[in-house]
Amino acid sequence: MNATVLSEIDDRSLAVPQIAAQPDPVSTFRFAVNRHGCNKDWDFRILSSHFQDVEGTLDTVIAHLQQGHAICAGLLGGQWRRKSNFAGSQWVLIDIDNSAVQCDDQGKTVKAADGKALKV
């Protein structure tokens, strides 16, 4: 190879893509949402079977989460939520749960009236 060709290859391989500092809030993408329950108070069959593929923005996802809806990054095509029905995804959803629980003076977990551990 001559020096010109090598230079062009090196220039292209070293090119750094420009990444926006903030994501574009009006960019739309597809995801699945289940509006038939709220805040993890779900019957398993309803949770798994009522997802609908929709298109929205990050603000749309935030609004669904604030309403307690279940979100799935994968498209399900109106099918039950299970691995074999995933038709693809246009984004990655990260679920970060608050796993820290409140403890009393003796180090035992403090529980609410419903028997669940209180989160901090």
Side-chain angles (χ1 to χ4, degrees):
M1 286 189 175
N2 64 36
T4 305
V5 173
L6 287 175
S7 175
E8 288 175 11
I9 292 171
D10 290 343
D11 290 346
R12 282 181 285 172
S13 65
L14 295 175
V16 177
Q18 297 299 316
I19 300 173
Q22 293 291 325
D24 181 2
V26 285
S27 294
T28 61
F29 50 90
R30 296 183 47 84
F31 60 97
V33 62
N34 186 335
R35 300 177 185 98
H36 293 273
C38 186
N39 294 330
K40 298 187 179 187
D41 184 21
W42 298 82
D43 172 270
F44 176 77
R45 294 179 76 67
I46 293 172
L47 173 61
S48 296
S49 64
H50 285 84
F51 278 93
Q52 297 175 325
D53 293 347
V54 297
E55 185 169 325
T57 64
L58 187 54
D59 288 335
T60 309
V61 172
I62 292 169
H64 281 296
L65 293 174
Q66 288 174 337
Q67 294 173 46
H69 299 156
I71 300 292
C72 179
L75 301 173
L76 301 170
Q79 302 294 316
W80 279 63
R81 186 186 70 174
R82 68 175 133 211
K83 189 188 299 186
S84 63
N85 290 334
F86 276 82
S89 180
Q90 297 180 335
W91 62 304
V92 175
L93 176 65
I94 300 173
D95 183 11
I96 302 172
D97 290 323
N98 179 8
S99 60
V101 294
Q102 184 175 344
C103 295
D104 63 15
D105 294 337
Q106 298 171 341
K108 295 182 181 179
T109 302
V110 177
K111 297 186 178 182
D114 63 1
K116 294 181 181 179
L118 290 177
K119 305 279 185 164
V120 292

